[in-house]
Amino acid sequence: MSVPADHPFAAAVRPLVDAMGGEMIAPDRARGDDVVLSWEGRPVVAVRLPHISDSLDHILADLQRRHGVPLSALDRKTKQSVVRHLEQRGAFSVRHGVETVAGALGVSRFTVYNYLNREKSGD
């Protein structure tokens, strides 16, 4: 069975699945950790969620698309805003999250920590 791309429910959830970096698969291909979504009592699509480390890469790529330039090319204020957004999304609870974000922003880990501390102190 293939994913019914023309099913209205599958079409409705696709933007959400794409935003979180998941993959839509046929329900009969679902594994134990996949989420099977049903419509009117019938399985329509299964969602394979990304690994947490892949999620951070996906979030960073999405932010780069939104800004239209590499994150390292952003000005300091915008980089601080990106760090706030990433903190809200839990990016720094991922192992090596600070290092990954620092690399994407083209700054040091120390700078990312400063941005985080600045936010907490209200500066």
Side-chain angles (χ1 to χ4, degrees), residues 57-68:
D57 291 338
H58 184 79
I59 292 168
L60 289 167
D62 182 57
L63 285 168
Q64 184 165 311
R65 275 191 302 278
R66 287 184 193 190
H67 287 282

Side-chain angles (χ1 to χ4, degrees), residues 69-88:
V69 296
L71 297 177
S72 60
L74 299 173
D75 61 43
R76 183 177 55 84
K77 185 175 181 180
T78 307
K79 287 180 182 181
Q80 289 171 336
S81 174
V82 165
V83 168
R84 279 193 302 276
H85 176 79
L86 291 169
E87 183 178 32
Q88 291 170 350

Side-chain angles (χ1 to χ4, degrees), residues 3-121:
V3 176
D6 60 341
H7 192 285
F9 184 68
V13 298
R14 180 166 295 286
L16 177 61
V17 173
D18 290 346
M20 38 184 224
E23 176 186 1
M24 294 176 67
I25 58 173
D28 62 343
R29 291 185 44 223
R31 299 188 303 226
D33 56 346
D34 294 334
V35 180
V36 177
L37 303 175
S38 297
W39 179 262
E40 297 180 346
R42 295 183 52 216
V44 173
V45 66
V47 177
R48 184 157 295 153
L49 300 171
H51 293 276
I52 291 177
S53 60
D54 294 338
S55 292
L56 179 54
D57 291 338
H58 184 79
I59 292 168
L60 289 167
D62 182 57
L63 285 168
Q64 184 165 311
R65 275 191 302 278
R66 287 184 193 190
H67 287 282
V69 296
L71 297 177
S72 60
L74 299 173
D75 61 43
R76 183 177 55 84
K77 185 175 181 180
T78 307
K79 287 180 182 181
Q80 289 171 336
S81 174
V82 165
V83 168
R84 279 193 302 276
H85 176 79
L86 291 169
E87 183 178 32
Q88 291 170 350
R89 299 277 312 263
F92 302 112
S93 61
V94 175
R95 184 179 174 127
H96 303 296
V98 171
E99 292 87 347
T100 301
V101 170
L105 293 176
V107 299
S108 68
R109 291 180 321 159
F110 180 76
T111 298
V112 172
Y113 284 119
N114 279 341
Y115 291 169
L116 289 167
N117 290 334
R118 175 170 286 134
E119 178 65 22
K120 288 178 182 156
S121 68

